[in-house]
Amino acid sequence: MYFIELLGYFSLWTLLIYCTHRLAHSIPALWHFHQAHHAVSYDGKWEFSWWNLIGWFNDWRSTLDQWLTEIIPTILYILLFHDAWPIAVLYYIDSFLSEGITDHNPRIAVPGLAMGRYHLAHHADMTMNFDLYTHFWDWVFGTRHHVV
Ligand SMILES: [Zn+2]
Ligand SMILES: [Zn+2]
């Protein structure tokens, strides 16, 4: 039963991150930091930065973006729902794989998951594909752009 509970926690957490990502695009103070993420041009090369392991993401703007819209909300979420702690582990692993390996790689397209081409479509059209983990919340809120 814990697995079902965890699935619920995961869905709620992805909703939280979907919302903070949308806020990062609509609140000027947050966009100030998030635009640094959108300023990077991704050419499909595999990249890995050891700095990501300690919560530093290329420059101070991108780092603050990540902390304000993902890391702090995730910490608060786990403090609120202690049983959801495996999500923090998942997030930690994802946080150092997403930048240069999973999310910005045009060779990756996993049905239902928001990585690779799905996320790159958000870079091409910033009104779509806000969900960073699945297609679910984009589908619910009508922001899903179908990517082949
Ligand atoms: Zn964005
Ligand atoms: Zn991105």
Side-chain angles (χ1 to χ4, degrees):
M1 279 303 105
Y2 179 59
F3 180 73
I4 304 290
E5 196 183 331
L6 209 52
L7 214 56
Y9 282 133
F10 177 75
S11 301
L12 192 61
W13 173 70
T14 56
L15 172 63
L16 173 70
I17 301 301
Y18 173 89
C19 291
T20 55
H21 188 194
R22 283 200 73 166
L23 290 174
H25 280 266
S26 58
I27 295 178
L30 289 177
W31 172 246
H32 176 72
F33 302 113
H34 189 58
Q35 65 180 312
H37 178 85
H38 282 277
V40 177
S41 69
Y42 297 97
D43 53 12
K45 267 192 297 189
W46 303 95
E47 281 171 25
F48 181 80
S49 168
W50 291 100
W51 288 102
N52 293 173
L53 296 171
I54 57 163
W56 176 260
F57 299 89
N58 305 329
D59 56 61
W60 67 271
R61 263 191 182 183
S62 295
T63 299
L64 274 170
D65 171 46
Q66 191 99 0
W67 276 84
L68 290 170
T69 61
E70 296 180 13
I71 297 173
I72 291 170
T74 300
I75 289 170
L76 294 175
Y77 187 77
I78 301 300
L79 287 174
L80 197 62
F81 304 109
H82 294 118
D83 288 350
W85 68 265
I87 287 166
V89 178
L90 175 79
Y91 173 73
Y92 180 67
I93 294 167
D94 181 64
S95 70
F96 60 76
L97 292 178
S98 64
E99 181 80 11
I101 296 175
T102 55
D103 283 2
H104 302 100
N105 194 317
R107 289 185 293 266
I108 293 179
V110 182
L113 296 183
M115 53 177 59
R117 286 209 287 272
Y118 187 86
H119 180 69
L120 285 170
H122 169 69
H123 280 259
D125 179 351
M126 289 187 280
T127 65
M128 310 300 271
N129 292 13
F130 291 96
D131 205 320
L132 296 175
Y133 299 95
T134 68
H135 299 190
F136 185 71
W137 296 113
D138 279 317
W139 174 74
V140 169
F141 294 109
T143 52
R144 182 173 179 268
H145 170 75
H146 186 69
V147 180
V148 186

